[in-house]
């Protein structure tokens, strides 16, 4: 039991830190002080616009869509249940990913930030903050990486999994800025909110659900 308290404490502290940072970003948005940051990043990202890059960004935004998240979640669900036969790990996955979706809907309706309307390449409705694509990608790939980490024997394989997960999560977030449907602070807030919830989910898993 003692050996498990360290990871639990680290996860809880990390969750609190990410939560405080999310609150800070939210306050900057509400007070309008985040605008210079948003404007600078939007100008840099959308300044790279060309037809080929637009196609690439649409592909990454598709990877972060609700439909793709459902498909990947079902695939991960079946893999954890049938292949690894880890039902407790499956419970953690559902809590992390499903909870992230719940928090996204709740936070969007609390803040009610309108989407940017300067230069959109695709059309989408709903509130802007925090980015649902960013939250979904972070929780999905983050939870899956955490649960698979101990099952990958080679260190190179572990690193490759992390690199791929981080790259996909970042590109999905950047694609939302490029396509003009989110402010950069929406994406940043989505990452922070999802990271906080993922850390608390990991702490819950380590404390109550992990097999002895």
């Amino acid at each position: 039991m003692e050996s498990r308290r360290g990871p639990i404490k680290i996860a809880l502290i990390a969750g609190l830190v990410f939560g405080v940072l999310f609150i800070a970003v939210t306050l900057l948005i509400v007070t309008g002080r985040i605008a210079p940051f948003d404007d600078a990043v939007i100008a840099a990202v959308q300044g790279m616009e060309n037809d080929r890059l637009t196609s690439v960004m649409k592909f990454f935004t598709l990877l972060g869509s609700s439909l793709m998240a459902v498909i990947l979640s079902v695939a991960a669900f079946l893999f954890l249940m049938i292949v690894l036969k880890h039902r407790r790990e499956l419970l953690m996955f559902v809590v992390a990913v499903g909870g992230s979706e719940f928090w996204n809907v709740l936070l969007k309706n609390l803040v009610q930030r309108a989407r940017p309307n300067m230069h959109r390449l695709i059309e989408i409705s709903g509130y802007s903050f925090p980015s649902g694509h960013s939250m979904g990608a972070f929780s999905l790939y983050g939870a899956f990486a955490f649960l698979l980490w101990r099952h990958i024997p080679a260190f190179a394989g572990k690193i490759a999994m992390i690199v791929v997960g981080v790259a996909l999560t970042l590109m999905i977030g950047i694609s939302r800025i490029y396509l003009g449907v989110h402010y950069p602070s929406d994406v940043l807030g989505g990452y922070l909110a999802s990271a906080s919830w993922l850390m608390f989910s990991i702490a819950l898993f380590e404390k109550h659900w992990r097999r002895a």
Side-chain angles (χ1 to χ4, degrees), residues 166-182:
V166 170
L168 285 173
T169 302
L170 286 176
M171 288 305 301
I172 288 171
I174 292 172
S175 73
R176 305 303 283 170
I177 302 169
Y178 178 94
L179 296 172
V181 294
H182 276 297

PDB file of all heavy atoms in Angstrom, residues 166-182:
ATOM      1  N   VAL A 166       1.124  12.367 -28.153  1.00  0.00           N
ATOM      2  CA  VAL A 166       1.319  13.815 -27.995  1.00  0.00           C
ATOM      3  C   VAL A 166       1.174  14.525 -29.339  1.00  0.00           C
ATOM      4  O   VAL A 166       0.532  15.580 -29.434  1.00  0.00           O
ATOM      5  CB  VAL A 166       2.704  14.109 -27.372  1.00  0.00           C
ATOM      6  CG1 VAL A 166       3.019  15.602 -27.434  1.00  0.00           C
ATOM      7  CG2 VAL A 166       2.749  13.619 -25.928  1.00  0.00           C
ATOM      8  N   ALA A 167       1.770  13.950 -30.385  1.00  0.00           N
ATOM      9  CA  ALA A 167       1.706  14.568 -31.712  1.00  0.00           C
ATOM     10  C   ALA A 167       0.263  14.660 -32.206  1.00  0.00           C
ATOM     11  O   ALA A 167      -0.162  15.704 -32.726  1.00  0.00           O
ATOM     12  CB  ALA A 167       2.555  13.772 -32.698  1.00  0.00           C
ATOM     13  N   LEU A 168      -0.499  13.589 -32.048  1.00  0.00           N
ATOM     14  CA  LEU A 168      -1.895  13.600 -32.485  1.00  0.00           C
ATOM     15  C   LEU A 168      -2.711  14.625 -31.706  1.00  0.00           C
ATOM     16  O   LEU A 168      -3.509  15.373 -32.285  1.00  0.00           O
ATOM     17  CB  LEU A 168      -2.505  12.209 -32.321  1.00  0.00           C
ATOM     18  CG  LEU A 168      -2.082  11.149 -33.339  1.00  0.00           C
ATOM     19  CD1 LEU A 168      -2.631   9.787 -32.949  1.00  0.00           C
ATOM     20  CD2 LEU A 168      -2.559  11.529 -34.738  1.00  0.00           C
ATOM     21  N   THR A 169      -2.498  14.674 -30.396  1.00  0.00           N
ATOM     22  CA  THR A 169      -3.246  15.613 -29.555  1.00  0.00           C
ATOM     23  C   THR A 169      -2.930  17.054 -29.929  1.00  0.00           C
ATOM     24  O   THR A 169      -3.827  17.898 -30.040  1.00  0.00           O
ATOM     25  CB  THR A 169      -2.917  15.369 -28.069  1.00  0.00           C
ATOM     26  OG1 THR A 169      -3.242  14.015 -27.721  1.00  0.00           O
ATOM     27  CG2 THR A 169      -3.730  16.303 -27.184  1.00  0.00           C
ATOM     28  N   LEU A 170      -1.657  17.351 -30.139  1.00  0.00           N
ATOM     29  CA  LEU A 170      -1.248  18.705 -30.518  1.00  0.00           C
ATOM     30  C   LEU A 170      -1.804  19.089 -31.893  1.00  0.00           C
ATOM     31  O   LEU A 170      -2.315  20.196 -32.084  1.00  0.00           O
ATOM     32  CB  LEU A 170       0.273  18.825 -30.519  1.00  0.00           C
ATOM     33  CG  LEU A 170       0.950  18.877 -29.152  1.00  0.00           C
ATOM     34  CD1 LEU A 170       2.468  18.887 -29.319  1.00  0.00           C
ATOM     35  CD2 LEU A 170       0.500  20.107 -28.370  1.00  0.00           C
ATOM     36  N   MET A 171      -1.704  18.174 -32.843  1.00  0.00           N
ATOM     37  CA  MET A 171      -2.160  18.485 -34.196  1.00  0.00           C
ATOM     38  C   MET A 171      -3.679  18.671 -34.248  1.00  0.00           C
ATOM     39  O   MET A 171      -4.183  19.509 -35.006  1.00  0.00           O
ATOM     40  CB  MET A 171      -1.727  17.391 -35.168  1.00  0.00           C
ATOM     41  CG  MET A 171      -0.241  17.380 -35.470  1.00  0.00           C
ATOM     42  SD  MET A 171       0.372  18.975 -36.069  1.00  0.00           S
ATOM     43  CE  MET A 171      -0.624  19.217 -37.544  1.00  0.00           C
ATOM     44  N   ILE A 172      -4.405  17.911 -33.457  1.00  0.00           N
ATOM     45  CA  ILE A 172      -5.859  18.087 -33.412  1.00  0.00           C
ATOM     46  C   ILE A 172      -6.192  19.472 -32.871  1.00  0.00           C
ATOM     47  O   ILE A 172      -7.059  20.172 -33.398  1.00  0.00           O
ATOM     48  CB  ILE A 172      -6.504  16.982 -32.554  1.00  0.00           C
ATOM     49  CG1 ILE A 172      -6.447  15.647 -33.308  1.00  0.00           C
ATOM     50  CG2 ILE A 172      -7.945  17.332 -32.206  1.00  0.00           C
ATOM     51  CD1 ILE A 172      -6.860  14.451 -32.474  1.00  0.00           C
ATOM     52  N   GLY A 173      -5.483  19.889 -31.823  1.00  0.00           N
ATOM     53  CA  GLY A 173      -5.711  21.222 -31.273  1.00  0.00           C
ATOM     54  C   GLY A 173      -5.337  22.320 -32.251  1.00  0.00           C
ATOM     55  O   GLY A 173      -6.092  23.289 -32.440  1.00  0.00           O
ATOM     56  N   ILE A 174      -4.188  22.196 -32.897  1.00  0.00           N
ATOM     57  CA  ILE A 174      -3.744  23.194 -33.863  1.00  0.00           C
ATOM     58  C   ILE A 174      -4.702  23.282 -35.044  1.00  0.00           C
ATOM     59  O   ILE A 174      -4.963  24.362 -35.579  1.00  0.00           O
ATOM     60  CB  ILE A 174      -2.311  22.878 -34.335  1.00  0.00           C
ATOM     61  CG1 ILE A 174      -1.320  23.066 -33.181  1.00  0.00           C
ATOM     62  CG2 ILE A 174      -1.909  23.765 -35.517  1.00  0.00           C
ATOM     63  CD1 ILE A 174       0.076  22.589 -33.489  1.00  0.00           C
ATOM     64  N   SER A 175      -5.243  22.131 -35.448  1.00  0.00           N
ATOM     65  CA  SER A 175      -6.169  22.131 -36.582  1.00  0.00           C
ATOM     66  C   SER A 175      -7.410  22.964 -36.291  1.00  0.00           C
ATOM     67  O   SER A 175      -7.962  23.607 -37.188  1.00  0.00           O
ATOM     68  CB  SER A 175      -6.576  20.696 -36.940  1.00  0.00           C
ATOM     69  OG  SER A 175      -7.479  20.155 -35.980  1.00  0.00           O
ATOM     70  N   ARG A 176      -7.837  22.996 -35.042  1.00  0.00           N
ATOM     71  CA  ARG A 176      -9.021  23.778 -34.683  1.00  0.00           C
ATOM     72  C   ARG A 176      -8.755  25.279 -34.789  1.00  0.00           C
ATOM     73  O   ARG A 176      -9.630  26.059 -35.143  1.00  0.00           O
ATOM     74  CB  ARG A 176      -9.485  23.419 -33.264  1.00  0.00           C
ATOM     75  CG  ARG A 176      -9.730  21.944 -33.049  1.00  0.00           C
ATOM     76  CD  ARG A 176     -10.736  21.396 -34.009  1.00  0.00           C
ATOM     77  NE  ARG A 176     -12.097  21.763 -33.632  1.00  0.00           N
ATOM     78  CZ  ARG A 176     -13.163  21.570 -34.397  1.00  0.00           C
ATOM     79  NH1 ARG A 176     -13.016  21.049 -35.599  1.00  0.00           N
ATOM     80  NH2 ARG A 176     -14.361  21.925 -33.992  1.00  0.00           N
ATOM     81  N   ILE A 177      -7.509  25.662 -34.463  1.00  0.00           N
ATOM     82  CA  ILE A 177      -7.114  27.070 -34.609  1.00  0.00           C
ATOM     83  C   ILE A 177      -6.983  27.417 -36.086  1.00  0.00           C
ATOM     84  O   ILE A 177      -7.477  28.448 -36.544  1.00  0.00           O
ATOM     85  CB  ILE A 177      -5.788  27.327 -33.880  1.00  0.00           C
ATOM     86  CG1 ILE A 177      -5.907  26.975 -32.393  1.00  0.00           C
ATOM     87  CG2 ILE A 177      -5.354  28.786 -34.049  1.00  0.00           C
ATOM     88  CD1 ILE A 177      -4.584  26.956 -31.656  1.00  0.00           C
ATOM     89  N   TYR A 178      -6.322  26.552 -36.823  1.00  0.00           N
ATOM     90  CA  TYR A 178      -6.089  26.786 -38.260  1.00  0.00           C
ATOM     91  C   TYR A 178      -7.411  26.931 -39.009  1.00  0.00           C
ATOM     92  O   TYR A 178      -7.544  27.804 -39.881  1.00  0.00           O
ATOM     93  CB  TYR A 178      -5.274  25.625 -38.823  1.00  0.00           C
ATOM     94  CG  TYR A 178      -4.998  25.727 -40.310  1.00  0.00           C
ATOM     95  CD1 TYR A 178      -3.821  26.305 -40.775  1.00  0.00           C
ATOM     96  CD2 TYR A 178      -5.906  25.240 -41.248  1.00  0.00           C
ATOM     97  CE1 TYR A 178      -3.565  26.406 -42.140  1.00  0.00           C
ATOM     98  CE2 TYR A 178      -5.659  25.330 -42.612  1.00  0.00           C
ATOM     99  CZ  TYR A 178      -4.479  25.915 -43.048  1.00  0.00           C
ATOM    100  OH  TYR A 178      -4.230  26.018 -44.398  1.00  0.00           O
ATOM    101  N   LEU A 179      -8.377  26.099 -38.684  1.00  0.00           N
ATOM    102  CA  LEU A 179      -9.657  26.109 -39.385  1.00  0.00           C
ATOM    103  C   LEU A 179     -10.578  27.225 -38.916  1.00  0.00           C
ATOM    104  O   LEU A 179     -11.668  27.399 -39.456  1.00  0.00           O
ATOM    105  CB  LEU A 179     -10.348  24.757 -39.229  1.00  0.00           C
ATOM    106  CG  LEU A 179      -9.611  23.572 -39.878  1.00  0.00           C
ATOM    107  CD1 LEU A 179     -10.278  22.251 -39.504  1.00  0.00           C
ATOM    108  CD2 LEU A 179      -9.547  23.735 -41.393  1.00  0.00           C
ATOM    109  N   GLY A 180     -10.145  27.978 -37.909  1.00  0.00           N
ATOM    110  CA  GLY A 180     -10.876  29.164 -37.482  1.00  0.00           C
ATOM    111  C   GLY A 180     -12.076  28.924 -36.601  1.00  0.00           C
ATOM    112  O   GLY A 180     -12.932  29.802 -36.475  1.00  0.00           O
ATOM    113  N   VAL A 181     -12.163  27.751 -35.959  1.00  0.00           N
ATOM    114  CA  VAL A 181     -13.333  27.457 -35.138  1.00  0.00           C
ATOM    115  C   VAL A 181     -13.039  27.516 -33.646  1.00  0.00           C
ATOM    116  O   VAL A 181     -13.941  27.334 -32.825  1.00  0.00           O
ATOM    117  CB  VAL A 181     -13.920  26.075 -35.505  1.00  0.00           C
ATOM    118  CG1 VAL A 181     -14.479  26.094 -36.917  1.00  0.00           C
ATOM    119  CG2 VAL A 181     -12.882  24.972 -35.365  1.00  0.00           C
ATOM    120  N   HIS A 182     -11.779  27.773 -33.288  1.00  0.00           N
ATOM    121  CA  HIS A 182     -11.414  27.897 -31.880  1.00  0.00           C
ATOM    122  C   HIS A 182     -10.311  28.929 -31.702  1.00  0.00           C
ATOM    123  O   HIS A 182      -9.443  29.083 -32.575  1.00  0.00           O
ATOM    124  CB  HIS A 182     -10.921  26.571 -31.299  1.00  0.00           C
ATOM    125  CG  HIS A 182     -12.021  25.664 -30.827  1.00  0.00           C
ATOM    126  ND1 HIS A 182     -12.882  26.008 -29.796  1.00  0.00           N
ATOM    127  CD2 HIS A 182     -12.397  24.425 -31.225  1.00  0.00           C
ATOM    128  CE1 HIS A 182     -13.744  25.013 -29.606  1.00  0.00           C
ATOM    129  NE2 HIS A 182     -13.471  24.045 -30.463  1.00  0.00           N
TER     130      HIS A 182
END
